[in-house]
């Protein structure tokens, strides 16, 4: 097991400490699978290719399974681009300090801290956190980090496959839980928020960005378009994303990616991200702030991006 994970992992759902299974195949609840784990489809979790895999203990709904596959295809196809969401690695690192994270997290803050990138997808932020001096764990329900070539031999970076709805980590394990554009792609963003809040250490922070609820017309147009595009076969969505890349000249994206400033493929990635995954919910800042209060987090900071919020667990 990656040394970083030794004191962090716990069985998903039941929260027990993990130990190697008696048959040597994977990890189980300490002392053997508990009643809760035995009731799941899977009660031991394998490590494959250096990544502990906490998936398959529950049946996934159709929309959920299609959403996971859409992102796996996205990072297989676009994970090697120089810029993802219009940002090169330098711009991504810059995003992790200063106002974009709230007022209290500067470059020096990260040294020696333990960070979770919850729903790390393409995995580019993992290296960015490491460059700031943090130890970082990337959690993703799909194989995106591998598709995109995240380094798996870096002592500062570990990758775990699992869900943000049942995160396989002990309570209060991380100084920062960072979840950028993820929980709105789960069946229950509210439940995902509470689950991520559980992982924040006293004195630590939860950063979340979700899609904002837009005006009636924009919601109607996008909702109608997505009702079609999310039902198309993967290769068709990929072709369509490429074909309509010039739309970025007329329709703003949250990342600001625009043909001319970004390449055709970079624009296609941003469009694919919007039109492919069936699960996508939209929220207000006040709604997310309410979830933070429910989770016992305080000092909610309103970030410069719409519906971005950093909240803190009292020390
Ligand atoms: Zn258990």
């Amino acid at each position: 097991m990656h040394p970083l994970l030794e004191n962090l992992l716990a069985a998903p759902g039941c929260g027990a400490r993990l130990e190697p299974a008696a048959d040597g195949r994977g990890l189980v609840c300490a002392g053997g699978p508990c009643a809760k784990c035995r009731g799941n489809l899977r009660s031991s979790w394998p490590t494959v290719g250096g990544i502990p895999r906490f998936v398959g203990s529950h049946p996934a709904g159709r929309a959920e399974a299609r959403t996971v596959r859409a992102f796996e295809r996205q990072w297989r196809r676009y994970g090697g681009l120089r810029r993802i969401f219009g940002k090169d690695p330098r711009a991504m690192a810059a995003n992790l300090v200063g106002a974009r994270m709230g007022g209290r997290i500067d470059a020096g803050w990260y040294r020696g801290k333990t960070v979770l990138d919850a729903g790390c997808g393409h995995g580019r932020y993992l290296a960015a956190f490491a460059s700031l001096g943090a130890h970082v764990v990337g959690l993703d329900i799909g194989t995106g980090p591998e598709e995109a070539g995240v380094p798996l031999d870096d002592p500062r970076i570990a990758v775990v496959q699992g869900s943000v709805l049942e995160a396989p980590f002990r309570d209060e394990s991380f100084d920062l839980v960072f979840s950028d554009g993820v929980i709105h792609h789960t069946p229950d963003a509210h439940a995902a928020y509470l689950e991520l809040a559980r992982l924040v250490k006293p004195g630590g922070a939860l950063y979340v960005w979700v899609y904002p609820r837009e005006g009636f017309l924009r919601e109607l147009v996008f909702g109608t378009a997505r009702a079609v595009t999310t039902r198309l076969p993967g290769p068709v969505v990929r072709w369509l994303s490429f074909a309509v890349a010039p739309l970025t000249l007329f329709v703003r994206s949250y990342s600001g990616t625009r043909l001319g400033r970004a390449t055709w493929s970079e624009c296609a990635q941003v469009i694919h991200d919007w039109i492919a995954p069936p699960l996508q919910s939209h929220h207000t800042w006040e709604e997310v702030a309410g979830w933070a209060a429910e989770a016992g987090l305080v000092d909610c900071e309103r970030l410069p991006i719409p519906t971005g919020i950093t909240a803190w667990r009292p020390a």
Side-chain angles (χ1 to χ4, degrees), residues 11-16 28-30 32-38 43 45:
C14 83
V28 293
C29 263
C34 70
K36 182 161 186 182
C37 287
R38 273 199 305 273
S43 61
W45 299 277

Side-chain angles (χ1 to χ4, degrees), residues 112-128:
K113 295 283 203 298
T114 304
V115 173
L116 176 67
D117 184 352
C120 64
H122 49 78
R124 289 272 175 96
Y125 277 114
L126 302 177

Side-chain angles (χ1 to χ4, degrees), residues 62-199:
R62 187 176 145 78
E64 189 179 6
R66 284 178 60 88
T67 298
V68 174
R69 285 202 299 275
F71 283 110
E72 289 178 341
R73 280 197 298 270
Q74 182 164 309
W75 302 130
R76 192 175 306 138
R77 173 68 183 81
Y78 299 110
L81 287 175
R82 193 171 76 79
R83 288 176 292 209
I84 292 178
F85 296 110
K87 292 174 196 67
D88 63 15
R90 220 179 138 138
M92 285 201 181
N95 253 8
L96 300 180
V97 296
R100 179 67 165 65
M101 291 294 294
R104 293 158 64 172
I105 297 179
D106 57 18
W109 186 89
Y110 286 101
R111 193 146 297 278
K113 295 283 203 298
T114 304
V115 173
L116 176 67
D117 184 352
C120 64
H122 49 78
R124 289 272 175 96
Y125 277 114
L126 302 177
F129 281 118
S131 74
L132 289 161
H135 293 110
V136 58
V137 179
L139 173 71
D140 204 273
I141 196 171
T143 56
E146 299 148 76
E147 311 279 8
V150 167
L152 294 172
D153 55 356
D154 189 321
R156 304 166 303 171
I157 297 172
V159 175
V160 173
Q161 191 177 2
S163 169
V164 294
L165 284 163
E166 214 173 56
F169 302 107
R170 299 180 193 177
D171 293 354
E172 303 184 350
S173 294
F174 295 94
D175 297 289
L176 171 67
V177 176
F178 171 88
S179 191
D180 194 52
V182 174
I183 63 174
H184 52 223
H185 292 303
T186 69
D188 189 343
H190 173 212
Y193 188 96
L194 297 180
E195 174 68 352
L196 295 182
R198 173 181 76 77
L199 305 176

